[in-house]
Amino acid sequence: MNLRLPMAASWLRILCCCLFLFFAASAVIAGKALCKTIYVGGLWDLSGDRSREGKAACMAARKAVEYLNSQGGISGRPLELITADTMGEPGRLLLEVRKLVEQKKVVALLGPTSEALIPVLRNYAETHNIPVVLTSGDDPLLPSENDESVHCTFSISTGLGPAIKALFQEFARTGLEPVAPLVADNPKGKRVSLWLQGYGPEYRLRVLPPQNFGLHDTDVVSQLQQFKEEGARVIVTWGPRSCGPVLLRSAKRTGVHMAVPVQIISSDMLKKYAGSFRLWTAAPPLLLGYDIPLSHPCAFAVNRFMKAMEREARGFSIEEFLAAGAAWDALYLTAMGLRKSGTAAHSNLCQAFEDTDQSYYGVMGVFRPRRRDHSGLVPGSLVVLKMNKNGWEIYRNFRKKPVS
């Protein structure tokens, strides 16, 4: 009796079974690899003087992660936000950022709460080639061929240049000139005064010679009074948030009109406003909330944010509201870069931000990062607001496609 045929068939069945198990296991492993979690690090003050803003940022970023994961994550891979408490201290930030990068293997960093911590975060990110999306500060991020100091740093915060452009465009449209710069007496204040004077000719606005104030001055009445005598129609100011109440108290005493950066605005500052003068700012569209016109290009993003954060946002101060919006956008911009790069490699993500062929329509404005501008904030997407006795009102109409 010939047993060779049955034995060959038996071995063939065994081989087929082994191959089936091998391919099945490979598919499972591939599936697990495909669904491997992408980690993003968040560095905010969860304790200390700015903890309310830090917690608002953390909450908004987590909401954004939940929403993105409900939509399938990044090509089927879920996102996870790992947060660290910087406590408002540079040393603490440096300790936590090392843990996030070296132990948690995050693909990108978001934060910080305070502008004072930006240099520490940027230095670490640039040294180690880790993409970072800033959620505070207003410094321009304009890389040049000979300057690699901002290779990995991007920003979702309202930049100085776009804010000045948005304000000056409206001042020129309404004939509100001359403009008078009043800036803090520190190195950054001097840079801001140069920017204010530099943009004047572009918008055909007459800009008066700038004046300074000390960071610990209790009033700026003399400077405002001099500007008033020189015929200034609006005082454009810049300084840290702590100076906001002083500036408004002085404006109230002199009755001059004032424009301020959104970063300086706080609940304490607005308490000093009594309606005796006009106050302007170039703000993210988020500040309009549900009142944002449908014609604004960011209307969908703002309404989505408000729906996601509705219960929590009801008790937010203006500082918390802006911190939450910046964190939300930072997470979404990172997700857009990850989709563009196709991988979670640090260098690929940086390149994806620079090479993106689409704009991000967020709650803080319209952004299109480029190699020449690592913020890419479109000035026309900012909301120029004027405050009077009844609160903030829109100072201009919107078009569906904002001018760059």
Side-chain angles (χ1 to χ4, degrees):
M1 187 174 179
N2 190 356
L3 297 177
R4 290 182 179 179
L5 185 60
M7 288 179 64
S10 177
W11 278 108
L12 183 61
R13 283 195 297 270
I14 293 173
L15 179 61
C16 288
C17 288
C18 290
L19 287 172
F20 174 78
L21 291 173
F22 171 78
F23 286 118
S26 299
V28 170
I29 293 171
K32 286 183 178 179
L34 185 65
C35 296
K36 187 178 179 181
T37 300
I38 300 174
Y39 297 102
V40 177
L43 293 149
W44 294 294
D45 294 3
L46 304 180
S47 60
D49 294 340
R50 305 281 291 271
S51 62
R52 293 187 63 179
E53 293 167 67
K55 290 176 181 177
C58 182
M59 184 186 306
R62 290 195 183 284
K63 291 279 187 181
V65 167
E66 290 175 9
Y67 190 89
L68 284 164
N69 284 340
S70 71
Q71 302 297 308
I74 308 299
S75 301
R77 297 179 63 179
L79 283 168
E80 183 175 331
L81 177 70
I82 304 176
T83 59
D85 182 8
T86 55
M87 298 182 179
E89 301 172 0
R92 176 76 179 195
L93 183 146
L94 190 57
L95 177 66
E96 295 296 341
V97 74
R98 285 173 175 165
K99 290 180 182 177
L100 289 175
V101 173
E102 297 170 12
Q103 298 177 20
K104 303 298 183 181
K105 308 299 182 183
V106 297
V107 67
L109 299 164
L110 316 180
T113 305
S114 170
E115 185 176 357
L117 298 184
I118 288 177
V120 178
L121 180 56
R122 280 188 59 179
N123 183 61
Y124 183 90
E126 296 295 342
T127 301
H128 295 81
N129 295 313
I130 310 297
V132 59
V133 182
L134 300 177
T135 57
S136 60
D138 60 3
D139 279 331
L141 298 175
L142 307 173
S144 66
E145 292 183 3
N146 299 321
D147 182 10
E148 293 294 329
S149 64
V150 290
H151 174 67
C152 297
T153 306
F154 300 83
S155 177
I156 209 74
S157 189
T158 304
L160 177 64
I164 295 174
K165 288 182 178 181
L167 285 170
F168 276 20
Q169 183 178 18
E170 295 310 303
F171 293 162
R173 184 179 66 85
T174 55
L176 200 63
E177 64 171 331
V179 175
L182 178 62
V183 298
D185 188 11
N186 62 10
K188 185 169 181 179
K190 293 176 182 177
R191 292 198 300 272
V192 173
S193 68
L194 292 175
W195 277 65
L196 290 169
Q197 293 174 88
Y199 278 124
E202 181 177 337
Y203 292 90
R204 298 181 180 179
L205 289 173
R206 185 160 69 94
V207 180
L208 298 175
Q211 292 196 50
N212 301 323
F213 63 88
L215 296 179
H216 302 292
D217 287 355
T218 56
D219 72 67
V220 293
V221 171
S222 61
Q223 295 96 317
L224 296 182
Q225 192 62 45
Q226 182 176 333
F227 278 142
K228 190 174 182 180
E229 293 171 0
E230 293 175 2
R233 298 283 303 281
V234 59
I235 315 297
V236 181
T237 66
W238 181 90
R241 185 185 292 172
S242 59
C243 298
V246 171
L247 292 169
L248 252 66
R249 279 199 309 268
S250 300
K252 179 181 177 181
R253 289 176 59 184
T254 56
V256 298
H257 306 314
M258 185 173 286
V260 299
V262 72
Q263 285 90 346
I264 204 175
I265 298 175
S266 65
S267 299
D268 288 340
M269 177 183 178
L270 295 180
K271 289 176 184 177
K272 308 297 179 184
Y273 184 79
S276 58
F277 62 96
R278 282 179 287 177
L279 178 68
W280 288 276
T281 191
L286 172 66
L287 284 191
L288 295 176
Y290 282 124
D291 294 328
I292 188 170
L294 293 179
S295 59
H296 194 285
C298 297
F300 173 78
V302 171
N303 280 289
R304 179 176 59 184
F305 173 89
M306 293 299 295
K307 185 176 180 181
M309 298 289 296
E310 188 169 18
R311 183 178 300 174
E312 293 83 358
R314 288 174 187 169
F316 278 171
S317 64
I318 187 170
E319 305 98 296
E320 292 170 280
F321 207 45
L322 291 171
W328 173 280
D329 273 357
L331 204 294
Y332 265 93
L333 184 67
T334 301
M336 189 176 84
L338 286 167
R339 292 192 183 100
K340 174 72 176 179
S341 69
T343 71
H346 297 148
S347 59
N348 290 350
L349 181 54
C350 287
Q351 194 68 41
F353 282 141
E354 291 185 341
D355 295 343
T356 182
D357 55 359
Q358 60 182 317
S359 296
Y360 167 64
Y361 291 78
V363 301
M364 301 294 283
V366 178
F367 296 84
R368 192 171 186 180
R370 279 288 184 266
R371 184 176 297 277
R372 61 180 176 82
D373 183 357
H374 276 200
S375 169
L377 174 58
V378 177
S381 67
L382 293 177
V383 182
V384 178
L385 300 176
K386 180 179 70 174
M387 178 167 267
N388 53 34
K389 290 188 240 181
N390 300 318
W392 294 109
E393 65 179 35
I394 302 174
Y395 198 54
R396 67 151 177 250
N397 295 321
F398 298 102
R399 286 166 284 185
K400 276 289 186 181
K401 186 176 181 180
V403 293
S404 59

